[in-house]
Amino acid sequence: MNAVSFQLNARNLWDQLTEGSKYNGTKYLQLVPDLEPLKGLIDIKSTDDEPMFIRIDNDDAQRREFFVAKKCCLKLCVAAIFELNRILEMEERNPQMWSESMQWQAFLTTIALLVTSPENHSALNLHQDLAEILFLRDETILRSELYLLISLLTCNNAKVNKSSSIWHLFKKVYLLHVVQNVNVSSIVLHANLLSATEHKNNYYAWSFARFFVQVEWLVYDNNLQGVYTQVRQFCRDAPQDTSSWMFLQHLMTLEFTPKLREKLQLDCLRLLDGFSVGDIRFGEAYGRPFSREEVREIVLETIEWIHRMEITSLSPWEFVKMNIGEDLSTVVDQLKESVSKFEDEHGKIHLINGYFETESSIDESNLLLMKLYTTTANKKRVLRWYEKHGRFNG
Amino acid sequence: MQLFREKHVDYVKNLNTKTDQLEYWLTEHLRLNGVYWGLMALFLMDSQDAFVKEEVIEFVLSCRDPKRGGFGPYPKHEAHILSTLSAIQILKLYNSLDRLGSFKPDLVKFIKDLQLPDGSFQGDRFGEVDSRFVYTAIQCLSILEELDENIASGATDFVLRCLNFDGGFGMVPGAESHAAQAFVCLGTLSILGQLDKLTSKKELISSWLSERQVANGGLNGRPEKLPDVCYSWWVLTGMDILGCLDWVDHDKLRQYILSCQDDVTGGISDRPDNQVDVFHTVFGIAGLSLLGFEDLVPVDASYCLPKAVVATIKKFPYEI
């Protein structure tokens, strides 16, 4: 791929991923090994006439879907790396001193690298330098950047979707919208949940969510009930997703204090450093989004759901155990009784590190019994925690 | 099953010759880290001569970012704390820190300037904050013997705030517990001689770490995740630092790591039958070394450097 061809392809990528659509910008980027089987649907070609994207508007999923051939993506990446190295070797390294077209060329280069090697810190820094210039020149670029990042963070490639650097950049772009009084909260939360759906146990997606709820509460006076409802549903749809359950736990114990407000203010100032924008106005609403009584109800409801749905995964119990205390002593008694009854009937369960062994041999083909062993082992783990540590959160 | 030592040496030795492969170019931004992973694997197998020392040192020095003072992952790239640690570790492994010469003051300044008022460190000017970067910066300064009380107390406070109620550590205070973060937080406290700050939490942390071992012997990074060879390092180191290494089943773990080897190409992968890479190769071998298997060179849990190398680093707090 020569330099001209690379620029055209990178521009194509940017245009497609940042274009608004009838689905409010929601896109789904999938890297696929090859595009041959879907040849009839190809509507965008790269400059050397190889299939680059397939674009489909999926009304059922309410999103625009892009299928990108890995081969094409890799070629683009290699060309971008050579282009980046050419830029890094330039005598004048300050993008402020470059011509407008040079700035755009370099910006497109960094975008190709965000798609293919998001932890390239030189590319990230250059991208940010250029974004600082371009956002000032044309405010629509900021919205395009938001769409671009959403495409990357919700895409099926783990390396991109779970990139801590892209999530960090997403924080900045979200905050830039906040500063400009453009409310993108629902789009951002939607993207967060889409990303977490695409990659379970998505550490950085749920870390972003922790930041997001702080801004929502302190800037928008959002009581977080909507966030809770959506995350609760997410957790129940993904019982094994520890990260989402731990976020739910975080939400339950969150308490806004002047100290937290001060910390968030400093973080935001640091995140916006370099962008010539105004300040964020923080409110002074302190307290807990969820009262202790509400948390107790939510925990009881979760335990009831675990039993009713015969959930075998440990994550919901991890959520429960962090909230269990004196006010839930009846729950503890019920768990003890249930474990004891099962062990009397089927033999002792020994918890060993992160797994368990049984005194009597189990017929592993008996799935129902295996399920009972697993659920009982989970209960035993919660009890062991309670006996050792008792109530932790208060 | 045995460790395919010779195959692993060949695998590492040939990594830098695959310049005709796309992967080689796609990982350019990790090159210096890759050199450290490969070199460290060779050191642990007592095969460091497989790399040409002077060539490696020249490459390291060519990655220096003169504008910022630190090291980038590749020539002309911007300095980042992660690639800077790799550069310093490589020079230390080769007993060649003197090659920093007059660059050293700028290097130390680059690292120290990354510390924020709350004691955390950012990775570079992009501003990402993570307990990984605290550990990385503290190890850099330790090897360079440039730690000071101010930096140490800030870093200590920050990593202690990363400890969660479940006994794990997160990337920042309040973040989800993760085994890799446990390693960096415990490693930081160990290097700074501050482990006594954890005395009352030792059992809680040890329990969380030991619960990472799953039925097939491998270790995972978080509850309900699949095991992965690299956690043989991230989890075990924390346990070694806390003195509870025997809480997990060593033989089962050894079998798991060895089952992730490629008996044809050499190298170790994250899980059996997956594609091998140098990252999992070094941490698999380091895990085996920590467990005392396969007659490997003993590794230091806090630094991921041979114990003999770490013995030459001045311990903090420094005696006046």
Side-chain angles (χ1 to χ4, degrees):
Chain A
M1 203 180 278
N2 64 34
V4 177
S5 170
F6 164 72
Q7 285 298 331
L8 286 169
N9 287 324
R11 177 79 212 197
N12 206 349
L13 187 69
W14 162 260
D15 286 343
Q16 292 298 326
L17 295 183
T18 60
E19 190 187 39
S21 74
K22 56 181 174 177
Y23 311 119
N24 202 14
T26 305
K27 300 185 187 73
Y28 180 46
L29 180 66
Q30 278 204 71
L31 298 186
V32 292
D34 208 328
L35 286 177
E36 287 302 316
L38 295 167
K39 215 167 186 173
L41 286 171
I42 294 166
D43 61 357
I44 301 154
K45 288 181 176 167
S46 71
T47 49
D48 45 5
D49 213 32
E50 277 194 84
M52 189 168 174
F53 300 106
I54 295 173
R55 191 178 78 183
I56 299 167
D57 283 345
N58 184 335
D59 287 331
D60 291 338
Q62 284 290 297
R63 63 192 187 190
R64 176 166 285 176
E65 298 184 350
F66 289 93
F67 295 86
V68 186
K70 268 187 186 162
K71 190 177 150 194
C72 189
C73 222
L74 291 175
K75 275 188 179 178
L76 194 69
C77 177
V78 172
I81 288 168
F82 285 113
E83 182 64 11
L84 177 72
N85 285 340
R86 191 185 66 77
I87 295 167
L88 294 176
E89 279 168 22
M90 283 169 45
E91 226 165 89
E92 178 53 71
R93 290 279 293 270
N94 180 2
Q96 296 274 8
M97 307 305 288
W98 298 345
S99 68
E100 218 170 291
S101 71
M102 176 61 205
Q103 287 168 347
W104 256 107
Q105 275 182 35
F107 190 64
L108 293 173
T109 300
T110 63
I111 283 155
L113 286 166
L114 291 185
V115 177
T116 50
S117 46
E119 295 299 327
N120 186 325
H121 297 287
S122 302
L124 279 163
N125 282 321
L126 181 59
H127 182 81
Q128 179 166 310
D129 292 343
L130 290 158
E132 285 167 16
I133 299 166
L134 297 174
F135 292 170
L136 274 181
R137 189 180 299 151
D138 177 354
E139 59 188 30
T140 65
I141 295 174
L142 177 61
R143 178 54 69 98
S144 298
E145 178 86 351
L146 181 75
Y147 286 154
L148 170 80
L149 296 181
I150 289 175
S151 297
L152 299 181
L153 294 172
T154 59
C155 98
N156 74 329
N157 185 300
K159 198 170 60 177
V160 180
N161 177 308
K162 298 199 281 190
S163 156
S164 64
S165 300
I166 305 269
W167 279 105
H168 187 69
L169 187 57
F170 194 51
K171 269 188 189 175
K172 297 182 184 193
V173 170
Y174 162 58
L175 281 183
L176 286 168
H177 282 86
V178 174
V179 173
Q180 295 185 355
N181 285 320
V182 181
N183 192 320
V184 289
S185 305
S186 61
I187 303 175
V188 167
L189 178 61
H190 185 55
N192 200 137
L193 294 172
L194 276 180
S195 178
T197 305
E198 190 60 37
H199 282 284
K200 295 290 181 277
N201 283 300
N202 194 330
Y203 191 85
Y204 295 108
W206 292 107
S207 293
F208 174 84
R210 284 166 166 81
F211 171 78
F212 173 76
V213 292
Q214 288 183 20
V215 175
E216 289 294 307
W217 174 278
L218 284 169
V219 177
Y220 291 124
D221 209 12
N222 179 339
N223 66 12
L224 306 182
Q225 290 298 324
V227 175
Y228 164 69
T229 306
Q230 291 191 60
V231 173
R232 174 185 176 275
Q233 189 57 49
F234 182 97
C235 289
R236 293 195 172 197
D237 291 342
Q240 283 187 303
D241 192 311
T242 307
S243 299
S244 62
W245 284 98
M246 289 299 99
F247 172 75
L248 197 61
Q249 152 64 19
H250 176 77
L251 207 53
M252 295 297 100
T253 51
L254 197 53
E255 183 164 4
F256 290 93
T257 60
K259 197 176 167 189
L260 182 64
R261 180 184 186 272
E262 190 188 342
K263 168 81 173 66
L264 182 66
Q265 258 181 319
L266 286 173
D267 284 348
C268 292
L269 269 177
R270 205 171 53 75
L271 284 161
L272 293 173
D273 186 34
F275 294 98
S276 307
V277 290
D279 291 334
I280 298 177
R281 278 191 291 273
F282 289 88
E284 291 191 9
Y286 302 122
R288 294 169 63 113
F290 298 90
S291 68
R292 290 183 210 288
E293 190 50 39
E294 281 173 306
V295 173
R296 185 175 180 277
E297 287 306 312
I298 289 166
V299 172
L300 287 172
E301 186 197 68
T302 305
I303 295 171
E304 189 275 325
W305 169 79
I306 293 172
H307 290 317
R308 182 165 41 83
M309 303 304 288
E310 299 177 346
I311 301 296
T312 52
S313 80
L314 184 63
S315 300
W317 283 116
E318 290 281 329
F319 167 77
V320 168
K321 85 178 188 189
M322 301 306 165
N323 290 293
I324 217 158
E326 286 154 21
D327 54 344
L328 286 163
S329 57
T330 51
V331 170
V332 175
D333 292 341
Q334 283 163 3
L335 288 178
K336 277 182 186 164
E337 196 187 321
S338 164
V339 170
S340 159
K341 197 176 159 197
F342 182 86
E343 289 190 328
D344 286 346
E345 206 174 320
H346 300 282
K348 283 266 179 221
I349 293 174
H350 299 288
L351 300 177
I352 301 169
N353 299 328
Y355 57 102
F356 67 90
E357 285 179 356
T358 56
E359 238 166 36
S360 43
S361 58
I362 322 176
D363 172 11
E364 291 195 7
S365 64
N366 186 341
L367 297 180
L368 188 63
L369 187 61
M370 283 301 293
K371 200 171 178 177
L372 287 172
Y373 268 107
T374 308
T375 51
T376 308
N378 287 344
K379 289 176 193 171
K380 210 167 171 174
R381 229 170 250 288
V382 176
L383 287 171
R384 186 169 73 173
W385 166 271
Y386 184 74
E387 278 154 19
K388 275 190 184 171
H389 309 291
R391 185 185 180 134
F392 199 98
N393 289 309
Chain B
M1 194 182 270
Q2 297 295 310
L3 182 74
F4 304 131
R5 188 186 290 253
E6 283 171 22
K7 284 191 188 298
H8 297 324
V9 171
D10 283 345
Y11 167 75
V12 172
K13 193 177 164 182
N14 292 326
L15 281 171
N16 208 34
T17 61
K18 297 175 179 167
T19 53
D20 58 335
Q21 292 183 7
L22 274 174
E23 284 72 17
Y24 178 87
W25 296 104
L26 294 179
T27 54
E28 186 186 274
H29 63 287
L30 293 171
R31 187 76 73 244
L32 198 51
N33 308 72
V35 173
Y36 159 72
W37 295 328
L39 184 63
M40 185 57 197
L42 293 175
F43 262 87
L44 291 177
M45 294 185 288
D46 199 18
S47 302
Q48 54 270 34
D49 292 342
F51 278 1
V52 181
K53 178 178 171 180
E54 195 49 37
E55 280 179 12
V56 175
I57 292 175
E58 282 302 319
F59 176 72
V60 169
L61 296 175
S62 73
C63 292
R64 186 175 167 270
D65 174 355
K67 187 175 173 189
R68 293 174 182 82
F71 287 85
Y74 198 73
K76 306 283 182 191
H77 277 237
E78 271 197 37
H80 190 279
I81 194 67
L82 293 175
S83 39
T84 296
L85 175 62
S86 292
I88 293 171
Q89 285 173 316
I90 293 166
L91 294 176
K92 182 69 186 171
L93 280 166
Y94 280 138
N95 193 23
S96 299
L97 283 174
D98 59 313
R99 298 287 291 274
L100 288 169
S102 60
F103 302 151
K104 190 177 165 186
D106 284 348
L107 172 60
V108 172
K109 186 175 185 309
F110 166 75
I111 301 163
K112 289 188 172 180
D113 284 354
L114 293 173
Q115 191 171 35
L116 298 172
D118 67 355
S120 65
F121 278 80
Q122 49 190 1
D124 65 354
R125 68 188 176 97
F126 188 56
E128 204 181 336
V129 170
D130 190 321
S131 44
R132 276 183 302 158
F133 304 145
V134 178
Y135 167 77
T136 312
I138 293 299
Q139 189 184 158
C140 285
L141 294 173
S142 171
I143 295 173
L144 295 170
E145 300 180 357
E146 291 284 352
L147 283 166
D148 63 50
E149 195 49 53
N150 201 26
I151 282 181
S153 65
T156 301
D157 287 348
F158 181 80
V159 297
L160 287 174
R161 283 189 284 120
C162 293
L163 176 62
N164 287 324
F165 46 75
D166 58 2
F169 289 85
M171 63 182 267
V172 290
E176 184 190 354
S177 296
H178 192 295
Q181 311 295 340
F183 160 69
V184 294
C185 290
L186 292 169
T188 301
L189 295 173
S190 167
I191 291 171
L192 295 175
Q194 298 291 325
L195 285 169
D196 58 319
K197 299 255 178 6
L198 290 175
T199 309
S200 64
K201 303 282 184 201
K202 198 176 146 187
E203 196 193 336
L204 180 73
I205 302 166
S206 303
S207 293
W208 190 87
L209 288 170
S210 68
E211 283 179 4
R212 306 284 56 81
Q213 187 164 43
V214 299
N216 71 3
L219 302 171
N220 63 16
R222 285 177 282 165
E224 302 207 86
K225 292 274 284 175
L226 292 172
D228 180 326
V229 158
C230 64
Y231 291 106
S232 309
W233 179 253
W234 313 125
V235 176
L236 280 185
T237 46
M239 302 190 80
D240 188 54
I241 288 168
L242 293 176
C244 63
L245 198 55
D246 57 348
W247 286 29
V248 290
D249 187 325
H250 292 195
D251 290 325
K252 281 180 90 167
L253 178 56
R254 172 179 177 267
Q255 284 309 318
Y256 179 77
I257 298 172
L258 294 178
S259 72
C260 295
Q261 298 178 103
D262 188 319
D263 57 0
V264 178
T265 63
I268 299 176
S269 57
D270 55 353
R271 284 184 272 285
D273 301 323
N274 280 0
Q275 178 75 40
V276 300
D277 59 68
V278 67
F279 176 84
H280 288 92
T281 302
V282 66
F283 292 121
I285 292 170
L288 290 170
S289 165
L290 208 55
L291 293 171
F293 290 125
E294 318 300 334
D295 196 24
L296 292 159
V297 170
V299 66
D300 182 276
S302 304
Y303 288 82
C304 199
L305 291 172
K307 279 190 171 176
V309 172
V310 173
T312 67
I313 299 170
K314 195 160 70 175
K315 295 287 167 282
F316 186 82
Y318 307 134
E319 286 172 18
I320 302 165

